[in-house]
Amino acid sequence: GESVGLHLPTLSVQEGDNSIINCAYSNSASDYFIWYKQESGKGPQFIIDIRSNMDKRQGQRVTVLLNKTVKHLSLQIAATQPGDSAVYFCAETFSGSARQLTFGSGTQLTVLP
Amino acid sequence: KAGVTQTPRYLIKTRGQQVTLSCSPISGHRSVSWYQQTPGQGLQFLFEYFSETQRNKGNFPGRFSGRQFSNSRSEMNVSTLELGDSALYLCASSLAGGQGEKLFFGSGTQLSVL
């Protein structure tokens, strides 16, 4: 079946720099996208979401960009902090199965001092 | 407000046995979903319950089953365990399971099948 995939498995950034995590999705029917953060020993934690009728959404230090033309999603983290070190997953769903999320494979973000 | 609680935190079983995992959703949440997380397959949807009814099911064999009680607590059961069932099983809850509702995950139950 169709699935969400990530471009890079690992990403290392200097503390204070901006981070960009990318995600490619293949299901053109998907209309709702979410980014999750998972720290070691914990379950995924909601970061930010975006609907397909938007191309950008901002939160606190985070921005999600959606490009439906190329089926691409990105998460930007401003002024990356050590506490941002975690695995980041994008997930997609469509209206017909609101609670059945399809997750990407994840990107390990490491923040260097 | 307490988060999603999963018990037990760790579990070790042998092949052929069965296991039951428990999930208590956030108070007031009526939708409970289960996901399996493995290094090889990532996070995969198992099933979702709302008001004691299974509304959605992922692509897993019939050995995987679940149920939800009137207080929204949920259990999932895996029968005739296989080595490949070793995984982190995550439970997530939301108010009613509608799209756009935040999904809150528990810390999971780490199942090891020997």
Side-chain angles (χ1 to χ4, degrees):
Chain A
E2 296 184 52
S3 63
V4 178
L6 293 175
H7 290 191
L8 295 173
T10 63
L11 177 66
S12 296
V13 297
Q14 292 292 140
E15 183 178 353
D17 287 352
N18 296 334
S19 303
I20 299 176
I21 301 172
N22 295 305
C23 172
Y25 67 95
S26 57
N27 187 349
S28 56
S30 293
D31 57 6
Y32 179 60
F33 305 87
I34 314 106
W35 280 99
Y36 287 93
K37 170 187 179 183
Q38 187 174 25
E39 297 174 285
S40 180
K42 297 182 180 180
Q45 178 185 2
F46 174 94
I47 300 174
I48 191 168
D49 59 358
I50 189 168
R51 295 187 182 278
S52 59
N53 61 354
M54 304 171 69
D55 53 21
K56 180 179 179 179
R57 191 170 189 209
Q58 289 184 293
Q60 186 176 9
R61 282 201 308 119
V62 295
T63 300
V64 56
L65 299 177
L66 174 63
N67 186 330
K68 294 180 288 295
T69 302
V70 295
K71 296 191 183 69
H72 183 267
L73 199 65
S74 69
L75 176 70
Q76 300 177 1
I77 304 174
T80 313
Q81 303 169 358
D84 295 327
S85 291
V87 177
Y88 289 80
F89 294 95
C90 61
E92 62 174 326
T93 186
F94 59 95
S95 301
S97 61
R99 288 296 76 166
Q100 183 169 349
L101 299 178
T102 299
F103 282 85
S105 54
T107 293
Q108 172 71 59
L109 174 65
T110 301
V111 181
L112 306 172
Chain B
K1 199 176 193 181
V4 177
T5 304
Q6 291 188 247
T7 57
R9 187 72 178 89
Y10 302 94
L11 205 50
I12 299 175
K13 292 287 187 179
T14 56
R15 279 180 300 174
Q17 288 187 310
Q18 74 166 16
V19 67
T20 299
L21 312 181
S22 180
C23 172
S24 293
I26 291 173
S27 178
H29 284 193
R30 296 170 62 194
S31 170
V32 174
S33 301
W34 289 88
Y35 287 81
Q36 181 197 64
Q37 185 173 26
T38 61
Q41 299 297 318
L43 279 149
Q44 293 186 294
F45 174 80
L46 280 157
F47 27 65
E48 186 247 348
Y49 287 86
F50 177 79
S51 292
E52 302 177 66
T53 301
Q54 185 182 89
R55 289 200 297 195
N56 218 347
K57 190 177 192 304
N59 188 26
F60 278 83
R63 299 185 296 106
F64 292 80
S65 63
R67 59 178 177 169
Q68 186 180 35
F69 302 95
S70 58
N71 61 357
S72 295
R73 190 177 70 84
S74 178
E75 290 181 345
M76 68 162 283
N77 184 78
V78 188
S79 63
T80 319
L81 284 166
E82 300 176 1
L83 295 178
D85 297 333
S86 294
L88 179 67
Y89 290 88
L90 292 159
C91 168
S93 76
S94 67
L95 281 170
Q99 193 185 69
E101 290 180 8
K102 288 184 182 179
L103 205 56
F104 294 86
F105 283 85
S107 295
T109 292
Q110 183 67 55
L111 172 65
S112 297
V113 182
L114 307 178

